[in-house]
């Protein structure tokens, strides 16, 4: 059975260099990487993962806590985060809490048992103190978990302003904004207040509807929107997340109204559903890849011992014009 010494001899480098390649530590040139991996392939060398873990005192597992993996935003973030972690030699453990505090508590217990090297958290049904007292590196994803844990998010203030602009320039007079639960401590909440303020400053009525916990279901969005359109027939604009807006487009068209001539529609996030609706949705796109890169980079730096507590706001949020807004 080939050993790490055999790999070093065949590739013409030291055992230490082979070890650094395997553990992705320190600067290694692409030429050296190629030599080592070619040698491993020729020798059919399989590194002993258990030995690597014991040597480095790491598990090379990262926990990702999300409230609902079927939600397109979290699904897309999980997709990119997993790819980036894997490129650094880490595996992802998905913790789907289903917005259930008991499930979240069980996953926290797992984290406390040091079964992961760090965690990325996009939800919290528990107290902030439950996270702050965890003795492992954590990065928060679009939620606030206390002063000691850095939060990474898009610039939602800019997002709210960008979302309001098509309604203002399109001459809307009464816009329905469907938003999430304000009890969730998330920087994303600011986009709703900014959006509403922008409309009010331009003499546009903004009807805010806050979804209840039991209404966070794609099966219920259609019914809720129809009820709101019945209650407020004067609505000539709708703004919400892409999935909600996709249902709104269906409701509006079924009523014989035209988009955007009769009703202007704008989504938020830029997930896949925003790109397959008809008419083509206008939406605010979050920088998923950039967000994932920064989250993973921060977490790995924290695992390496850096003390990082500052929040990071990613500016690369943009408006993508489709056919649901007036030119």
């Amino acid at each position: 059975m080939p050993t790490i010494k055999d790999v070093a001899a065949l590739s013409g480098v030291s055992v230490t260099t082979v070890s650094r390649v395997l553990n992705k530590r320190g600067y290694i040139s692409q030429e050296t990487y190629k030599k080592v991996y070619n040698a491993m392939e020729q020798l059919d060398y399989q590194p002993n993962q258990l030995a690597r873990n014991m040597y480095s005192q790491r598990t090379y597992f990262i926990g990702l806590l999300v409230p609902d993996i079927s939600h397109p935003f979290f699904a897309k973030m999980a997709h990119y985060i997993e790819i980036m972690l894997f490129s650094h030699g880490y595996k992802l453990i998905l913790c789907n809490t289903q917005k259930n505090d008991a499930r979240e508590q069980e996953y926290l217990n797992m984290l406390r048992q040091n079964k992961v090297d760090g965690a990325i958290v996009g939800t919290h049904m528990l107290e902030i103190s439950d996270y702050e007292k965890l003795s492992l590196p954590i990065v928060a994803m679009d939620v606030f978990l206390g002063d000691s844990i850095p939060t990474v998010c898009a610039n939602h203030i800019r997002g709210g302003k960008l979302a309001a602009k098509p309604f203002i320039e399109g001459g809307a007079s009464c816009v329905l904004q469907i938003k999430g639960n304000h009890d969730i401590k998330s920087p994303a909440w600011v986009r709703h207040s900014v959006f509403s303020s922008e409309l009010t400053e331009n003499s546009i009525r903004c009807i805010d509807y806050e979804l209840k916990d039991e209404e966070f279901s794609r099966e219920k969005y259609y019914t809720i929107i129809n009820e709101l359109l019945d209650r407020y027939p004067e609505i000539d604009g709708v703004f919400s997340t892409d999935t909600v807006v996709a249902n709104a487009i269906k409701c509006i068209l079924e009523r014989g109204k035209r988009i955007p001539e009769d009703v202007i529609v704008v989504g938020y996030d830029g997930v896949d559903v925003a790109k397959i609706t008809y008419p083509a949705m206008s939406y605010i796109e979050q920088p998923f890849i950039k967000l994932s890169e920064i989250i993973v980079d921060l977490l790995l730096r924290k695992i390496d011992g850096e003390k990082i507590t500052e929040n990071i706001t990613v500016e690369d949020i943009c408006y993508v014009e489709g056919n649901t807004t007036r030119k």
Side-chain angles (χ1 to χ4, degrees):
M1 181 180 294
T3 67
I4 192 170
K5 290 182 179 179
D6 298 323
V7 175
L10 183 59
S11 57
V13 300
S14 68
V15 171
T16 301
T17 298
V18 175
S19 177
R20 286 169 60 201
V21 169
L22 292 173
N23 291 289
K24 299 186 187 319
R25 288 289 175 266
Y27 173 75
I28 302 290
S29 69
Q30 287 300 116
E31 183 182 358
T32 301
Y33 266 114
K34 189 174 180 179
K35 286 181 180 178
V36 171
Y37 279 109
N38 284 343
M40 288 170 58
E41 188 173 350
Q42 289 181 46
L43 295 168
D44 193 25
Y45 173 74
Q46 300 296 323
N48 188 324
Q49 186 64 46
L50 180 60
R52 285 176 63 200
N53 293 356
M54 291 177 65
Y55 174 78
S56 63
Q57 295 186 323
R58 294 184 181 179
T59 66
Y60 291 94
F61 284 108
I62 301 296
L64 173 63
L65 275 74
V66 297
D68 182 1
I69 194 58
S70 69
H71 189 290
F73 172 82
F74 295 109
K76 197 157 189 172
M77 287 299 297
H79 169 75
Y80 287 119
I81 287 171
E82 189 278 334
I83 290 173
M84 291 167 193
L85 284 172
F86 191 87
S87 71
H88 288 280
Y90 286 84
K91 305 297 190 300
L92 184 70
I93 296 178
L94 178 63
C95 306
N96 187 31
T97 67
Q98 290 291 300
K99 302 175 187 174
N100 182 296
D101 55 357
R103 287 173 65 97
E104 191 166 326
Q105 185 64 63
E106 284 194 37
Y107 281 126
L108 277 184
N109 291 340
M110 178 191 74
L111 299 182
R112 288 194 184 97
Q113 293 165 10
N114 296 318
K115 292 183 179 179
V116 295
D117 294 329
I120 298 165
V121 180
T123 180
H124 69 88
M125 300 292 293
L126 306 174
E127 297 297 323
I128 286 177
S129 59
D130 290 318
Y131 286 95
E132 289 184 317
K133 65 188 179 184
L134 287 174
S135 58
L136 83 162
I138 296 177
V139 174
M141 178 175 69
D142 220 26
V143 293
F144 291 123
L145 293 177
D147 295 336
S148 63
I149 298 173
T151 296
V152 178
C153 66
N155 187 338
H156 293 296
I157 294 176
R158 174 174 165 77
K161 290 181 178 180
L162 287 173
K165 192 174 181 180
F167 296 101
I168 297 168
E169 294 182 347
S173 60
C174 181
V175 178
L176 170 65
Q177 176 179 212
I178 300 177
K179 54 190 182 181
N181 191 326
H182 73 275
D183 289 335
I184 298 173
K185 299 175 179 63
S186 168
W189 183 256
V190 72
R191 77 170 180 257
H192 300 301
S193 57
V194 168
F195 177 82
S196 179
S197 296
E198 290 286 307
L199 295 189
T200 301
E201 288 175 10
N202 286 273
S203 303
I204 300 173
R205 182 185 177 193
C206 184
I207 299 172
D208 286 323
Y209 182 84
E210 184 175 321
L211 292 167
K212 304 175 184 65
D213 287 341
E214 64 273 14
E215 293 176 333
F216 278 94
S217 163
R218 286 181 292 283
E219 296 76 17
K220 295 182 179 179
Y221 293 157
Y222 178 82
T223 300
I224 293 167
I225 293 165
N226 264 325
E227 290 175 353
L228 290 168
L229 292 175
D230 285 338
R231 193 184 312 169
Y232 304 103
E234 65 272 27
I235 287 173
D236 62 359
V238 178
F239 170 61
S240 189
T241 57
D242 301 332
T243 307
V244 176
V245 164
N247 280 273
I249 290 173
K250 185 173 186 288
C251 293
I252 293 164
L253 294 177
E254 286 178 350
R255 289 168 176 258
K257 291 191 174 185
R258 300 168 301 165
I259 299 174
E261 292 85 354
D262 300 324
V263 184
I264 298 170
V265 176
V266 176
Y268 197 96
D269 282 338
V271 297
D272 291 345
V273 69
K275 299 164 185 173
I276 61 173
T277 61
Y278 182 82
M281 188 189 300
S282 295
Y283 56 87
I284 308 303
E285 185 168 45
Q286 296 210 54
F288 289 98
I289 295 177
K290 189 68 173 177
L291 287 168
S292 302
E293 286 176 346
I294 292 174
I295 288 169
V296 170
D297 177 66
L298 280 185
L299 185 61
L300 296 186
R301 284 163 57 195
K302 291 191 74 173
I303 290 172
D304 283 338
E306 286 191 46
K307 295 189 181 301
I308 305 170
T309 58
E310 298 82 8
N311 298 332
I312 293 182
T313 300
V314 181
E315 301 295 334
D316 304 342
I317 195 165
C318 63
Y319 170 61
V320 179
E321 186 173 49
N323 297 322
T324 61
T325 47
R326 297 166 192 162
K327 310 299 183 190

